[in-house]
Amino acid sequence: MTINVYCDADPDNSYDYIITLGESEDLWDLPSQIYKLEQWLETNIGKLNKGSYVADIGFTVREDATGGGAVLNRKMILMLHQIGMEIYFSEYNFIDEV
């Protein structure tokens, strides 16, 4: 699982790296990723000033997916808005390798 978090610190739209979440875990499904980001936001929301942030979530389609999936709940949306964070979704196609 990888979620890379960046901050837009420059006027030329280059992003500064903040952290990678879950890089040692082998969970690439979107629900796990959303949950991991929500946990990190809950822990760190007080440490982040309002700005321009990006969380790039790398994920694969769940092997036995038949519907349902991740939810960006109101609590998380409020935290994202509070600090000015956008979510990018980067889908990878290597489910057989994971």
Side-chain angles (χ1 to χ4, degrees), residues 85-96:
M85 181 177 279
E86 294 180 345
I87 304 290
Y88 293 1
F89 296 98
S90 297
E91 185 175 10
Y92 294 93
N93 186 18
F94 54 82
I95 196 158
D96 293 335

Side-chain angles (χ1 to χ4, degrees), residues 29-63:
D29 62 287
L30 194 52
S32 296
Q33 303 285 56
I34 296 292
Y35 179 72
K36 187 71 163 183
L37 179 59
E38 184 176 10
Q39 287 181 314
W40 183 81
L41 284 170
E42 287 175 349
T43 302
N44 293 283
I45 194 76
K47 302 173 190 171
L48 299 168
N49 296 323
K50 176 94 173 166
S52 180
Y53 299 91
V54 168
D56 184 6
I57 300 174
F59 72 99
T60 63
V61 176
R62 292 175 291 150
E63 187 174 347

Side-chain angles (χ1 to χ4, degrees), residues 73-89:
N73 60 44
R74 287 185 300 241
K75 180 180 177 183
M76 188 168 177
I77 291 170
L78 182 60
M79 288 188 288
L80 295 170
H81 176 72
Q82 182 179 337
I83 61 170
M85 181 177 279
E86 294 180 345
I87 304 290
Y88 293 1
F89 296 98

